[in-house]
Amino acid sequence: MRVDLPTPGFSFELLATLGHARAGILHTPRGAIETPVFMPVGTAGTVKAMTADELRAPPLDAKIILGNTYHLYLRPGLEVFSLAKINEPKMKTPGFTPGVEVDDDGVTFRSHIDGSKHRLTPEVSMNIQRVLGSDIAMCFDECPPGDADAETQERALARTTAWAARCRVAPRASGQALFGIVQGGVDTERRLRHMAEITALDFDGHALGGLAVGEDLATTYRILDEVAHRLPASRPRYLMGVGTPADLERGIAAGIDMFDCVMPTRNARNGYLFTSGDRVNIPNAVNRTDFGPIDPECPCSTCRTHSRAYLRHLYQAKEILYARLATLHNLTFYARHVRRLRDRILAEGVRA
C-alpha cells in the first residue's frame, strides 16, 4: 500500500506489519529509503570519521543521514550553503544549545563558537533549512527536560503547536518534506493530546521528541508502547535521538520507522564497540593479544581485515585510523541490526 504524502514527490509505502512493527519504503525525490532505518548523525555536515563513499558503500549502505540546523547555520553559514549542491537524502533537526532564552515567538541564544547573539523563530528555522536544502525539514519545537513540571510541559506544548503551524505555512525548498514533532514528556494523556494537535496540521511525517532526556528507561518504553502505534499509519514515524540497539528493537516493535542517535559513532571513538555477542571495550588488556576480529559475524572491512589487538594498539596510540575503523564497524552493526529486524517483519508479518 503506497500513499502519496502532502509534499509532491514523497510517498510512503507500507509493505508488511508484525504486531505494531512495520516494514516499508519512504520514497523521496532523491531516492528510496527502506524502513525501519537508522540514520547516521552528521551534526556539522559530516558523520565523524567517515567519508561519503564509506557511508554509501555496502554493507553500511546508508541512504539518509541527519544534520543539525543550529550547527550548520553557525558554521559554515548560509552564504556557503547557498552556493552548494546537495545530492544525497538528508534530514535536518533544528537543535539549540543549552542556556537559551525561550519566549512564545522563538529562541535567543549565543553562539558556542564566538559568543555572538542570534535569534531563531519558526520562520527563521525554516528558512535556514530551505537554504540547506535537506530532503526532510523538521518543525521548530521546544523540548523540555524529562523531569519538567506540568506547567513547563504545557507551555512547551502550546509553543510547539503554535510554532508547527507557522512552520507549516513557511516557504520551503522545492521537493522538501516537513515533519511535525510530538512532545508531551512522560504523561500519556498529554502526549496523545499533543499528537492530535500536530497530526491535524497534515505533515509528511511525525516525530516523537523529548524522550530519553532524563527519564528512566522503563518510562521511555512505556511512552513508546502507548503512543507510537497511534501516530497516523500512512505517514513515517520518527523517534528522535534514541538510542541503544535494544532501544531500536523496542521502538520498531512499538511502530517506529526512523531513528537517529550519536551512540554508535561516539561510543566507537571512546573505545566501545557493538557486536553480536557482548559489547567490546577495546582498551581492555584482554584485547592486547587478541588477533581475532571485533565480531566474526560482521562483514565490515574493519572486521574482515583488522584484529582487536591492532585496534587496541591504534586506540592506545591515539591514531586517527582507530576512529575511522571503529566508527565504520559500529555504524555497520546498527545498520545490519535494523535490517535484520526489517527482514523479520517481511518474513513473518502480514503483507499490507
Side-chain angles (χ1 to χ4, degrees), residues 39 66 91 93 138 206-208 236-240 258 260:
M39 302 179 286
L66 186 104
M91 189 173 200
T93 59
M138 298 298 298
H206 305 99
L208 290 181
R237 304 163 174 167
Y238 167 32
L239 178 59
M240 303 180 75
M258 304 170 74
D260 80 280

Side-chain angles (χ1 to χ4, degrees), residues 300-350:
C300 78
S301 61
T302 300
C303 289
R304 286 190 290 104
T305 58
H306 301 86
S307 68
R308 295 186 182 200
Y310 183 58
L311 288 169
R312 182 182 185 275
H313 159 69
L314 294 176
Y315 180 88
Q316 297 293 93
K318 296 181 169 56
E319 287 289 343
I320 294 172
L321 180 59
Y322 167 78
R324 290 176 51 74
L325 295 174
T327 300
L328 176 61
H329 167 75
N330 270 3
L331 286 176
T332 300
F333 176 88
Y334 264 61
R336 295 182 70 239
H337 177 60
V338 171
R339 287 188 201 119
R340 279 194 297 268
L341 295 171
R342 184 179 192 271
D343 289 344
R344 183 186 169 210
I345 297 168
L346 290 172
E348 301 178 17
V350 177

Side-chain angles (χ1 to χ4, degrees), residues 101-108 119-123 140-142 151-152 154-164 166:
E101 299 175 7
V102 185
D103 56 55
D104 289 344
D105 186 57
V107 176
T108 302
R119 177 73 174 169
L120 281 181
T121 66
E123 292 78 14
F140 200 58
D141 72 315
E142 182 179 1
E151 181 181 357
T152 301
E154 290 293 344
R155 186 167 55 246
L157 256 62
R159 284 175 175 160
T160 297
T161 298
W163 292 353
R166 290 163 61 181

Side-chain angles (χ1 to χ4, degrees), residues 144-226:
D147 59 356
D149 59 34
E151 181 181 357
T152 301
Q153 290 284 359
E154 290 293 344
R155 186 167 55 246
L157 256 62
R159 284 175 175 160
T160 297
T161 298
W163 292 353
R166 290 163 61 181
C167 289
R168 186 69 178 85
V169 298
R172 279 180 273 155
S174 176
Q176 185 176 56
L178 179 62
F179 281 23
I181 302 175
V182 175
Q183 293 288 351
V186 298
D187 182 272
T188 301
E189 183 278 330
R190 188 181 292 122
R191 281 274 175 184
L192 295 177
R193 175 160 41 89
H194 195 234
M195 179 194 302
E197 295 176 4
I198 294 298
T199 57
L201 294 171
D202 197 30
F203 291 108
D204 297 292
H206 305 99
L208 290 181
L211 289 175
V213 290
E215 77 278 5
D216 62 81
L217 186 60
T219 300
T220 302
Y221 286 173
R222 173 179 61 79
I223 292 296
L224 269 178
D225 291 344
E226 293 174 348

Side-chain angles (χ1 to χ4, degrees), residues 18-340:
L18 183 61
H20 293 313
R22 296 136 52 97
I25 303 173
L26 174 57
H27 298 273
T28 82
R30 290 195 179 104
I33 301 160
E34 295 183 344
T35 61
V37 63
F38 178 80
M39 302 179 286
V41 176
T43 299
T46 173
V47 177
K48 291 187 187 300
M50 293 286 95
T51 68
D53 286 344
E54 288 167 334
L55 291 169
R56 294 188 195 104
L60 175 49
D61 198 25
K63 301 297 185 185
I64 182 171
I65 65 170
L66 186 104
N68 185 283
T69 300
Y70 162 79
H71 286 276
L72 296 173
Y73 159 67
L74 292 178
R75 187 169 55 194
L78 298 190
E79 67 278 7
V80 173
F81 276 96
S82 65
L83 301 173
K85 293 182 179 180
I86 298 177
N87 297 312
E88 299 296 328
K90 294 179 178 66
M91 189 173 200
K92 292 290 181 288
T93 59
F96 355 111
T97 185
V100 301
E101 299 175 7
V102 185
D103 56 55
D104 289 344
D105 186 57
V107 176
T108 302
F109 64 94
R110 291 195 177 273
S111 166
H112 70 285
I113 299 169
D114 60 10
S116 58
K117 194 172 184 178
H118 298 266
R119 177 73 174 169
L120 281 181
T121 66
E123 292 78 14
V124 172
S125 174
M126 290 302 299
N127 183 60
I128 294 169
Q129 294 180 84
R130 179 188 64 80
V131 175
L132 293 177
S134 60
D135 293 78
I136 302 171
M138 298 298 298
C139 283
F140 200 58
D141 72 315
E142 182 179 1
C143 176
D147 59 356
D149 59 34
E151 181 181 357
T152 301
Q153 290 284 359
E154 290 293 344
R155 186 167 55 246
L157 256 62
R159 284 175 175 160
T160 297
T161 298
W163 292 353
R166 290 163 61 181
C167 289
R168 186 69 178 85
V169 298
R172 279 180 273 155
S174 176
Q176 185 176 56
L178 179 62
F179 281 23
I181 302 175
V182 175
Q183 293 288 351
V186 298
D187 182 272
T188 301
E189 183 278 330
R190 188 181 292 122
R191 281 274 175 184
L192 295 177
R193 175 160 41 89
H194 195 234
M195 179 194 302
E197 295 176 4
I198 294 298
T199 57
L201 294 171
D202 197 30
F203 291 108
D204 297 292
H206 305 99
L208 290 181
L211 289 175
V213 290
E215 77 278 5
D216 62 81
L217 186 60
T219 300
T220 302
Y221 286 173
R222 173 179 61 79
I223 292 296
L224 269 178
D225 291 344
E226 293 174 348
V227 175
H229 69 277
R230 302 186 187 185
L231 287 163
S234 62
R235 310 288 164 93
R237 304 163 174 167
Y238 167 32
L239 178 59
M240 303 180 75
V242 181
T244 67
D247 294 340
L248 269 58
E249 187 165 357
R250 185 62 172 258
I252 289 170
I256 295 294
D257 305 304
M258 304 170 74
F259 302 83
D260 80 280
C261 189
V262 299
M263 184 171 286
T265 49
R266 180 177 292 167
N267 278 23
R269 297 193 304 276
N270 288 307
Y272 297 98
L273 303 175
F274 295 96
T275 77
S276 54
D278 295 332
R279 189 175 68 172
V280 172
N281 186 0
I282 203 67
N284 285 355
V286 68
N287 296 309
R288 183 171 179 267
T289 56
D290 187 335
F291 298 102
I294 292 297
D295 186 347
E297 296 183 17
C298 179
C300 78
S301 61
T302 300
C303 289
R304 286 190 290 104
T305 58
H306 301 86
S307 68
R308 295 186 182 200
Y310 183 58
L311 288 169
R312 182 182 185 275
H313 159 69
L314 294 176
Y315 180 88
Q316 297 293 93
K318 296 181 169 56
E319 287 289 343
I320 294 172
L321 180 59
Y322 167 78
R324 290 176 51 74
L325 295 174
T327 300
L328 176 61
H329 167 75
N330 270 3
L331 286 176
T332 300
F333 176 88
Y334 264 61
R336 295 182 70 239
H337 177 60
V338 171
R339 287 188 201 119
R340 279 194 297 268

